[in-house]
Amino acid sequence: MNVTTKTGLAHPPETAMPTDPGPFDCMPELLAAARVAPVVRIPYLGHHAWVVCDPELVRAALTHPQLAKDVSLVPDWMRRPGLMVGSQPDPEYARAMIMSDGEHHARIRRMHAPVLSPRNTEQWGARVSVKVDGFLDELERSHSGVSGEVNVVTAYTHRIPLAFISEMLGLPPEAERQLRAITDIMLYSSDYPARTEAVGALYGAAEGWVRDPAPLRDGVITGLLASSDGPDAAVTEGEVIVWTLGMIITGYETTGSLISASLYEALRRPAEERPRTDDDIRAWVEETLRVHPPFPHPTWRFATADIDLGGYLIPRGAPVQVSIAAANREPGEEADSFAADRQGQGHLTFGLGMHYCIGASLVRLEAQIAVRGFLRRFPRARLSEDTAVGWESEWMIRRMSVLPATLT
């Protein structure tokens, strides 16, 4: 282990993680890299990123005052077209909640809080239930008396949050197909020019909805636009665009990933080992959050000074990730380690401190409704014996692409 001569702190060792997306499951590689040291460096875009892996150090990093999420700290070399961090707008135009700190972050959080209040979350849950029942009815009709396979991801799990976030935002019906196509490329394609085009298409779509809201239904966008009108406007038009994008990514993709993984863990087990009661399902979803965090490494942080983290040096200006995948596990715990009786105890999938996910209650509720509905409607469903489960991932995001099942 190398030690710096000026500070006496250790340089984190270098290791590798899969930083480019592809049709594979990144989790085993992420956990192997995290075992190298409590803090590691990985090659990234011709430079290095620092990754905090030790559970206690991850907790410290998530609330460290000198690890900032301010978008103005993103170095030029990370502003690569096709990457979300590199596609953030100038902070003078608008700041996203996940890339802001201090009063900027507190203000954005206040503006979002009414949408995600406990009362509204309960009402949103009722709308999710309606959509779940509708998609289950479709599945039942299309596979009645048929023993063939269905890809539960495309037929069910990702349709629910996409339909719900579209209704929540007030988007026109045709927007659902548009969003699915754009986000698939933007998050999971290894073709960076195509990703760049997809990022532009998503920004363009949001800009179009905000600047010409006539096709929109009443929803979050029209509510925010009402706050952006007049001399005493609480938000700007640019903020409505940027915040809409944030709600699409966090409200759709991650929730669909959670529902898929929850059902995967159920369908690979015999019926008697699956969750039955509402309490069982709540615990099942929490354990899925622990073992299958949709963002194994969440959003970036940047060191505003030289930092001593567990005896390791994180130099000023360094881009830093925290390994939620590693922090959620006991030392030596493997990737395939789902245990329902653990009930997800101690997981950090929704973060910690001021940046704790503001939509966590709604995400949990959507997943619980979707899992309960599917298992009760199709109690004999099981994983296919002929088709393999498929994953798409890279070090920051992970989801199932194929969940093959027979329903009867």
Side-chain angles (χ1 to χ4, degrees):
M1 182 181 292
N2 296 323
V3 178
T4 61
T5 56
K6 292 184 179 180
T7 66
L9 299 176
H11 280 306
E14 183 177 304
T15 188
M17 293 185 184
T19 56
D20 287 318
F24 57 85
D25 180 8
C26 66
M27 190 60 71
E29 292 181 72
L30 299 185
L31 296 180
R35 294 188 193 104
V36 170
V39 181
V40 298
R41 290 179 304 139
I42 66 164
Y44 187 61
L45 302 180
H47 296 260
H48 281 92
W50 278 247
V51 183
V52 184
C53 305
D54 175 80
E56 291 306 313
L57 294 184
V58 165
R59 288 179 174 273
L62 287 171
T63 57
H64 200 293
Q66 292 176 314
L67 286 176
K69 293 173 66 98
D70 190 332
V71 67
S72 65
L73 299 175
V74 178
D76 289 342
W77 62 266
M78 289 183 69
R79 296 182 182 274
R80 176 176 174 176
L83 297 178
M84 286 304 295
V85 70
S87 304
Q88 295 290 318
D90 188 297
E92 295 301 316
Y93 175 75
R95 292 174 182 261
M97 188 188 303
I98 62 171
M99 291 298 292
S100 61
D101 272 324
E103 180 51 38
H104 292 297
H105 177 262
R107 171 179 165 270
I108 299 170
R109 201 170 178 96
R110 284 195 302 271
M111 296 301 299
H112 283 71
V115 176
L116 298 166
S117 68
R119 180 177 179 180
N120 272 346
T121 296
E122 184 178 345
Q123 294 174 343
W124 294 131
R127 295 303 306 152
V128 172
S129 294
V130 170
K131 296 189 182 301
V132 163
D133 287 342
F135 292 136
L136 290 172
D137 288 344
E138 284 186 33
L139 271 177
E140 197 166 40
R141 284 194 301 269
S142 61
H143 289 79
S144 177
V146 177
S147 59
E149 292 179 5
V150 59
N151 182 358
V152 180
V153 172
T154 54
Y156 182 67
T157 62
H158 271 66
R159 293 182 70 189
I160 298 162
L162 179 56
F164 170 68
I165 196 66
S166 296
E167 179 178 313
M168 182 181 180
L169 292 171
L171 301 182
E174 63 272 13
E176 289 184 33
R177 291 186 298 275
Q178 183 182 17
L179 289 180
R180 178 65 195 263
I182 289 174
T183 56
D184 278 357
I185 295 171
M186 187 176 76
L187 297 175
Y188 293 102
S189 174
S190 58
D191 181 341
Y192 281 89
R195 289 177 68 159
T196 301
E197 186 176 339
V199 169
L202 186 58
Y203 270 94
E207 186 178 55
W209 297 324
V210 168
R211 294 186 174 168
D212 180 18
L216 299 180
R217 298 168 286 182
D218 287 341
V220 173
I221 295 177
T222 56
L224 287 172
L225 285 173
S227 300
S228 70
D229 194 25
D232 298 321
V235 300
T236 68
E237 186 179 88
E239 287 176 325
V240 179
I241 294 169
V242 171
W243 297 353
T244 295
L245 298 174
M247 284 185 275
I248 289 170
I249 298 300
T250 58
Y252 156 49
E253 181 59 43
T254 58
T255 308
S257 177
L258 173 59
I259 299 169
S260 298
S262 298
L263 285 177
Y264 164 67
E265 292 292 356
L267 295 177
R268 68 193 293 215
R269 288 167 167 77
E272 62 270 18
E273 295 181 16
R274 299 174 186 177
R276 296 179 180 274
T277 68
D278 287 349
D279 285 344
D280 289 343
I281 289 168
R282 278 191 287 271
W284 195 273
V285 169
E286 291 304 308
E287 179 65 0
T288 305
L289 284 163
R290 186 186 77 84
V291 176
H292 299 288
F295 285 127
H297 296 88
T299 51
W300 289 99
R301 288 166 167 78
F302 302 92
T304 59
D306 286 352
I307 297 171
D308 173 357
L309 198 65
Y312 290 91
L313 172 66
I314 300 180
R316 179 177 181 175
V320 179
Q321 279 287 354
V322 293
S323 179
I324 298 299
N328 280 355
R329 287 171 162 81
E330 297 293 335
E333 186 179 337
E334 298 296 336
D336 188 7
S337 59
F338 185 97
D341 57 355
R342 288 195 58 148
Q343 303 182 24
Q345 184 176 5
H347 77 72
L348 296 172
T349 296
F350 288 123
L352 195 66
M354 72 174 69
H355 284 283
Y356 185 83
C357 176
I358 194 172
S361 294
L362 182 55
V363 171
R364 285 183 164 111
L365 184 60
E366 282 187 73
Q368 291 162 14
I369 292 169
V371 171
R372 180 174 59 240
F374 186 91
L375 293 180
R376 291 182 180 176
R377 184 74 68 97
F378 302 111
R380 298 175 60 190
R382 61 195 183 281
L383 278 186
S384 167
E385 297 179 357
D386 301 318
T387 305
V389 166
W391 295 89
E392 292 176 305
S393 66
E394 42 115 306
W395 67 315
M396 291 182 65
I397 191 167
R398 173 179 182 261
R399 73 172 181 186
M400 303 194 78
S401 55
V402 180
L403 179 54
T406 53
L407 302 182
T408 58

